[in-house]
Amino acid sequence: MKPSRSNTNKGRIRPRVKSKGLRLNWTSLEDIKEVRLSDVLGDGAVVEIKSTNKPLLVP
Amino acid sequence: MQLTTWGYDLKFIQKSKETYVPCHRFTYVFKFFSVKSRLHYIVRAEQHDYDFFAIKFYPKSYGKSERKYSVTTNKGDIANVLVTCAKVVPKILELFPNASFGFIGSRSIDFISNKAEGYVNNQRFKIYAYHIPQLIGDDNFVHIAYKNASAYMLVNRHNDLQQYQEEVKTMILEHYENVLNLT
């Protein structure tokens, strides 16, 4: 008796991985609301950089 | 993750006169090839008034897409791509020693589920804010993070910080009020 060639489900089973938008609960493109930069920009925060930091490109 | 790569060679292409808003003067266009992802990238340093440069980059193959800044390639070469893009800073500083820089983390779009990321502290901003201090120190620049808008600014220490920040903010808000909206 010849061995069956279709002894795997590889081609039939779809991976059950959700896309990133679903996993992270992003907003649907249709539901996105407009935002004005002036409403959210604020003053910003100065980033403290460690004295041990050795930058690769510009000191 | 500590950056240990040196990126790729960044080649200058042209100084483009193409502008979109009155405060935008020129665009310095660069390119590089990512060996790992087999993608060509375009890097744009858009010169504005006050010697403020907005840095943008995208894979060349998405150049005609309106959403080229929101695409995720998932090729796994982010460290090299980031380091190479940041090489624009010393190149521009050679020409404009007083230059300051800014960038915004674009909102990612998941084209499979048609969903988009929020604009607050998004994934691109987190990566930039974590890695930029490893590439550019604070001897020449004051680093300012705008978490709520996913924006980051490097203010040249030759400028008065408060005054310069206000001037640039006013300019940006006047001309780029809708920059966080997806087209």
Side-chain angles (χ1 to χ4, degrees):
Chain A
M1 188 180 162
K2 285 183 180 178
S4 169
R5 287 184 181 179
S6 56
N7 58 353
T8 171
N9 288 322
K10 222 174 185 179
R12 292 187 226 150
I13 297 177
R14 286 183 183 175
R16 290 181 187 176
V17 179
K18 287 182 180 176
S19 66
K20 192 159 195 174
L22 288 171
R23 273 188 285 125
L24 300 179
N25 207 13
W26 288 355
T27 317
S28 172
L29 284 174
E30 292 87 41
D31 300 335
I32 282 183
K33 292 171 186 169
E34 292 227 334
V35 57
R36 291 162 59 91
L37 185 62
S38 54
D39 294 339
V40 295
L41 190 62
D43 285 335
V46 175
V47 179
E48 296 294 332
I49 296 177
K50 291 176 187 170
S51 55
T52 53
N53 185 43
K54 289 180 182 172
L56 293 175
L57 297 175
V58 181
Chain B
M1 181 185 74
Q2 188 68 31
L3 287 175
T4 52
T5 55
W6 284 99
Y8 304 110
D9 280 342
L10 187 68
K11 291 174 186 164
F12 175 70
I13 304 177
Q14 64 167 334
K15 179 182 174 182
S16 168
K17 289 181 181 173
E18 181 188 28
T19 57
Y20 308 110
V21 289
C23 62
H24 181 190
R25 293 179 185 175
F26 296 103
T27 303
Y28 293 80
V29 187
F30 301 83
K31 69 174 182 179
F32 67 92
F33 177 63
S34 161
V35 177
K36 191 176 174 186
S37 65
R38 311 295 299 167
L39 286 171
H40 290 272
Y41 279 84
I42 300 293
V43 186
R44 297 167 61 90
E46 298 184 351
Q47 184 186 12
H48 292 75
D49 293 345
Y50 309 108
D51 277 351
F52 177 77
F53 288 78
I55 301 177
K56 305 176 177 182
F57 70 95
Y58 56 87
K60 190 182 173 188
S61 51
Y62 294 100
K64 289 182 180 172
S65 168
E66 285 184 345
R67 292 173 170 173
K68 56 181 172 282
Y69 298 114
S70 296
V71 169
T72 46
T73 61
N74 280 332
K75 300 282 186 182
D77 197 21
I78 182 64
N80 278 315
V81 169
L82 258 187
V83 172
T84 314
C85 291
K87 285 180 182 174
V88 164
V89 173
K91 281 181 187 285
I92 295 291
L93 279 179
E94 285 174 18
L95 301 170
F96 304 95
N98 294 330
S100 297
F101 299 87
F103 40 85
I104 291 179
S106 291
R107 303 164 69 175
S108 298
I109 299 176
D110 176 5
F111 290 98
I112 298 169
S113 61
N114 269 335
K115 287 173 180 280
E117 194 184 12
Y119 52 83
V120 178
N121 197 22
N122 62 30
Q123 58 181 6
R124 282 191 169 89
F125 171 76
K126 285 177 195 167
I127 292 170
Y128 302 158
Y130 183 77
H131 289 299
I132 286 298
Q134 296 179 38
L135 297 168
I136 295 160
D138 61 351
D139 287 358
N140 291 288
F141 296 101
V142 180
H143 295 232
I144 302 174
Y146 300 86
K147 213 172 177 178
N148 289 338
S150 293
Y152 200 94
M153 190 151 82
L154 298 166
V155 180
N156 199 305
R157 287 199 185 270
H158 290 154
N159 302 302
D160 177 69
L161 177 63
Q162 290 301 328
Q163 188 190 340
Y164 187 83
Q165 202 182 350
E166 283 308 312
E167 285 169 345
V168 169
K169 263 176 72 176
T170 308
M171 175 181 76
I172 296 292
L173 291 177
E174 189 179 341
H175 297 290
Y176 295 100
E177 182 72 324
N178 294 316
V179 74
L180 297 178
N181 291 324
L182 292 166
T183 49

